[in-house]
Amino acid sequence: MTITRQTMDAMRALQGLEDGRSSVRLRAALAVGTAPDPRFVDKLIERCAIEPEFFVRDMLTWALTRHPVSLTLPGLVREVRSERAQARSQALHTLSKIGDRQAWPAITRTLLSDADDEVARSAWRAAVLLVPEGEESALAAVLATQLGRGERETQLSLSRALVALGEAVVPALRAATMGPDPRVRAHALATQRLLRDPDTGFEFAIEEAKRAVALGGSGQEGR
């Protein structure tokens, strides 16, 4: 059987994805994305789950976006249920880049509250991009259950996701500002501030909110 030049190039690219040098893996992912081929899809998804370098992972995601959704979506949806946190996170990130709302049912409440912060953050970003029209308020209510979670980077990610939903988040944020947990109240107040004034820095908003909570108020007085 004759092996074509195209087949040889594909074999080299697939082998390159497993090379010990990150620069070689990066070039291989670029080559795969430049010349999409159905034979690459499973390997790209598999590599996303274990690739240690951020820039290579990002190129793997780009390569996947270059393939038909009908080929990539089933494997990515399977990956969001993986036991490996990186597999879940990178699959969610890739789904957000593809932007096809057929993936929406895969964005479960379990993922939105995943114990791994990076997975949860990827789920939040994907959710606000894929949420169907009319379901924004329900999504906001789920996201609001994560208020007060984690360190600044995680809190900022959640605030950005909530703000991206617009006015649909107002009831959920208002309820959160009246809850018993001061950390949750402060995060909700800071997010409200960002919703009203997107140019406000998160650091300023959260420190202002903490002061309001420490003084015993909900931050809603006079509004």
Side-chain angles (χ1 to χ4, degrees):
M1 181 176 68
T2 302
I3 299 178
T4 66
R5 172 68 178 272
Q6 185 178 17
T7 299
M8 287 295 295
D9 289 344
M11 290 171 62
R12 278 195 293 271
L14 289 173
Q15 290 170 354
L17 292 175
E18 297 182 347
D19 194 278
R21 294 161 293 179
S22 61
S23 60
V24 174
R25 299 197 303 276
L26 185 67
R27 289 197 298 273
L30 175 61
V32 170
T34 302
D37 186 312
R39 291 171 293 181
F40 296 145
V41 171
D42 287 345
K43 187 64 178 180
L44 288 169
I45 294 175
E46 175 187 316
R47 187 67 206 177
C48 280
I50 59 175
E51 172 57 50
E53 296 293 332
F54 169 80
F55 291 110
V56 180
R57 291 199 302 273
D58 223 35
M59 190 65 77
L60 291 167
T61 282
W62 173 78
L64 282 164
T65 67
R66 299 271 295 157
H67 290 78
V69 174
S70 60
L71 297 179
T72 58
L73 200 61
L76 291 170
V77 168
R78 284 195 302 272
E79 284 293 278
V80 303
R81 298 190 293 268
S82 171
E83 293 184 2
R84 186 189 293 266
Q86 182 175 304
R88 299 195 302 277
S89 176
Q90 198 65 24
L92 287 162
H93 173 66
T94 305
L95 288 172
S96 73
K97 293 297 183 181
I98 292 172
D100 193 301
R101 285 183 169 172
Q102 292 181 83
W104 170 248
I107 314 299
T108 62
R109 189 181 186 118
T110 299
L111 285 171
L112 294 170
S113 58
D114 197 284
D116 185 281
D117 284 346
E118 191 56 43
V119 175
R121 290 169 58 193
S122 295
W124 301 337
R125 289 191 292 266
V128 298
L129 289 168
L130 301 177
V131 61
E133 187 175 352
E135 295 194 33
E136 294 89 350
S137 294
L139 174 58
V142 176
L143 293 181
T145 67
Q146 302 302 296
L147 285 164
R149 169 179 175 165
E151 301 304 321
R152 293 299 171 85
E153 190 175 9
T154 297
Q155 292 193 5
L156 176 57
S157 290
L158 180 59
S159 289
R160 284 174 171 166
L162 286 162
V163 168
L165 292 174
E167 292 301 309
V169 305
V170 170
L173 288 178
R174 184 181 297 116
T177 65
M178 300 175 186
D181 187 331
R183 187 175 170 89
V184 171
R185 294 204 307 274
H187 193 184
L189 285 169
T191 306
Q192 282 184 329
R193 176 67 181 265
L194 292 175
L195 182 63
R196 292 194 305 270
D197 182 6
D199 292 330
T200 300
F202 182 72
E203 287 296 326
F204 176 81
I206 194 70
E207 291 304 324
E208 183 184 65
K210 282 182 175 180
R211 284 193 295 272
V213 170
L215 291 170
S218 69
Q220 302 292 333
E221 294 81 356
R223 293 178 189 172

